[in-house]
Amino acid sequence: MSKLRLGAVVATTVGLLAPAAFAQPTPTFTYGKAEDVKDVKDVEWTASAEAGLLLTTGNAETTTVTAGLKASRKTGKNKLEVSGSGALARSGVRVAVDTNGNGTISESEITTDTLTTAETIEGKLRYDRYLTDANSLFVAALGKRDVPAGKAFSGGAQLGYSRQLKKTDEHEAVAELGGDYTYEDLVAPGDPLSIISARGFVGYKGKMSENATLEASAEALANINKLDTPTGEAGVFEDLRLNLIAAISAKIGDDLSMQFSVQAKYDNVPSPLALPGVTFDPGFVRTSSSLDDPEGVADLRAVLGPAPIAGPLPGVSAGAGAASSPARRRRPPRRSPPAPRAAPAASASSRGPAWSPSAPRWSTRSA
């Protein structure tokens, strides 16, 4: 007889005055643990899902939608888990272009550009076979699409050995060693890449206090085959990829908790940058950023930060009859400078400081 446990979490956040930030489903790390199936007598299913929405409006407009799901099947010494997540973020920013070349900006020369800053979807299927309480073997299949990072599709497989290094009521640490195969179809024109890598992983979970926990993990992938990339040849171990995650969770009440998380991805040989509607000069290859998806502080500020103070576009002179929309909050008016004090009478041979009304500071008067 099988057992089914289902949990669903739907989180919606609407920030009408918050600055834009890119948010994804709560990052975490997964690995094989023998205790997951220790007390399972029959087939047991578990499932959970989450979704998020972030909206900002005003002088800058953003829309961010995120979703994630996870399901697992446990029986005997076997565990099968599937997980997936996705994020879509678009931003609208006011842009001023002096189309008539008169040196000023009129109302018709201020437009709003809409850009897609995040378009990511990924999924993972993993199977663990537990040999002992501390040792297991695993195999996994992965797939991902990340257009802003220059990857139309990235898929592959992993296999390896997992070892539980430490297990107490307060601390838990795991390490994994194995191999990884990744197939990358880039957004930019060019042949797909096949990357064979050595993989290492370490993960830690611990209690900081009675109501606070810390999770951290690091995954390293280093290629063992030479790659002919659009940006040049990459030698063995040159295409180093790192995936870092850290999260602190604090329980506030019986039904309320808060989490602060940071996630970063590094690629030493990033994919070529692909901009919609842009054609680069022949022979010129602009790469994406090596550091992708930095998160954490921005996510927290998006919810708790103060409202932005809007003002004129930097470096723009408004033309006659053109006025920007009033801001929701205005800076207080600046105080006028104090009236200049009269300079004391002095002879032609005297020297001393005197206030010059046309100058922003004190000047020394020469004889």
Side-chain angles (χ1 to χ4, degrees), residues 7-24:
V9 177
V10 178
T12 303
T13 303
V14 179
L16 295 180
L17 297 177
F22 168 63
Q24 286 203 26

Side-chain angles (χ1 to χ4, degrees), residues 52-76:
L53 173 65
L54 173 63
L55 300 175
T56 67
T57 186
N59 294 293
E61 300 176 356
T62 63
T63 301
T64 302
V65 180
T66 63
L69 62 87
K70 180 182 292 186
S72 65
R73 181 183 186 274
K74 305 173 186 178
T75 177

Side-chain angles (χ1 to χ4, degrees), residues 175-261:
E176 294 180 353
L177 291 175
D180 175 277
Y181 170 77
T182 300
Y183 170 89
E184 288 187 355
D185 185 12
L186 306 179
V187 176
D191 296 330
L193 300 177
S194 293
I195 309 172
I196 303 175
S197 306
R199 176 182 180 269
F201 172 90
V202 290
Y204 169 81
K205 288 184 178 181
K207 288 186 177 181
M208 302 176 61
S209 65
E210 185 66 26
N211 297 318
T213 59
L214 168 68
E215 294 187 27
S217 70
E219 180 186 42
L221 301 165
N223 64 304
I224 58 177
N225 64 324
K226 292 184 178 180
L227 303 174
D228 186 12
T229 72
T231 58
E233 184 176 292
V236 175
F237 296 151
E238 187 174 351
D239 184 16
L240 177 65
R241 289 163 289 162
L242 300 175
N243 299 312
L244 308 175
I245 296 174
I248 297 178
S249 301
K251 189 176 180 181
I252 301 176
D254 294 337
D255 301 318
L256 181 62
S257 63
M258 180 180 67
Q259 183 179 73
F260 174 78
S261 60

Side-chain angles (χ1 to χ4, degrees), residues 29-287:
F29 66 91
T30 59
Y31 54 89
K33 296 184 294 183
E35 62 204 53
D36 289 344
V37 297
K38 183 177 180 180
D39 298 326
V40 177
K41 305 301 181 182
D42 300 317
V43 178
E44 181 178 299
W45 289 86
T46 60
S48 64
E50 62 180 5
L53 173 65
L54 173 63
L55 300 175
T56 67
T57 186
N59 294 293
E61 300 176 356
T62 63
T63 301
T64 302
V65 180
T66 63
L69 62 87
K70 180 182 292 186
S72 65
R73 181 183 186 274
K74 305 173 186 178
T75 177
K77 293 183 176 294
N78 306 282
K79 179 182 176 182
L80 182 66
E81 183 176 80
V82 59
S83 61
S85 63
L88 176 63
R90 292 181 176 175
S91 301
V93 182
R94 290 192 301 175
V95 178
V97 179
D98 186 11
T99 56
N100 57 16
N102 65 351
T104 61
I105 297 297
S106 62
E107 183 177 0
S108 61
E109 293 174 322
I110 299 179
T111 60
T112 300
D113 281 359
T114 301
L115 301 176
T116 299
T117 56
E119 184 181 339
T120 304
I121 183 171
E122 57 184 311
K124 182 176 182 179
L125 177 66
R126 171 165 169 154
Y127 167 74
D128 289 272
R129 172 66 180 183
Y130 302 101
L131 306 177
T132 65
D133 290 344
N135 301 276
S136 65
L137 302 175
F138 69 89
V139 60
L142 305 92
K144 182 177 181 179
R145 174 180 171 85
D146 191 348
V147 175
K151 299 176 182 179
F153 173 76
S154 176
Q158 296 178 348
L159 57 85
Y161 163 74
S162 179
R163 168 74 179 182
Q164 189 175 72
L165 303 177
K166 185 179 182 66
K167 173 62 178 176
T168 66
D169 293 338
E170 303 293 333
H171 306 281
E172 185 176 356
V174 171
E176 294 180 353
L177 291 175
D180 175 277
Y181 170 77
T182 300
Y183 170 89
E184 288 187 355
D185 185 12
L186 306 179
V187 176
D191 296 330
L193 300 177
S194 293
I195 309 172
I196 303 175
S197 306
R199 176 182 180 269
F201 172 90
V202 290
Y204 169 81
K205 288 184 178 181
K207 288 186 177 181
M208 302 176 61
S209 65
E210 185 66 26
N211 297 318
T213 59
L214 168 68
E215 294 187 27
S217 70
E219 180 186 42
L221 301 165
N223 64 304
I224 58 177
N225 64 324
K226 292 184 178 180
L227 303 174
D228 186 12
T229 72
T231 58
E233 184 176 292
V236 175
F237 296 151
E238 187 174 351
D239 184 16
L240 177 65
R241 289 163 289 162
L242 300 175
N243 299 312
L244 308 175
I245 296 174
I248 297 178
S249 301
K251 189 176 180 181
I252 301 176
D254 294 337
D255 301 318
L256 181 62
S257 63
M258 180 180 67
Q259 183 179 73
F260 174 78
S261 60
V262 178
Q263 180 179 11
K265 301 178 182 180
Y266 174 80
D267 191 344
N268 191 49
V269 184
S271 304
L273 180 66
L275 299 177
V278 175
T279 302
F280 294 108
D281 289 336
F284 173 70
V285 179
R286 178 68 169 89
T287 61

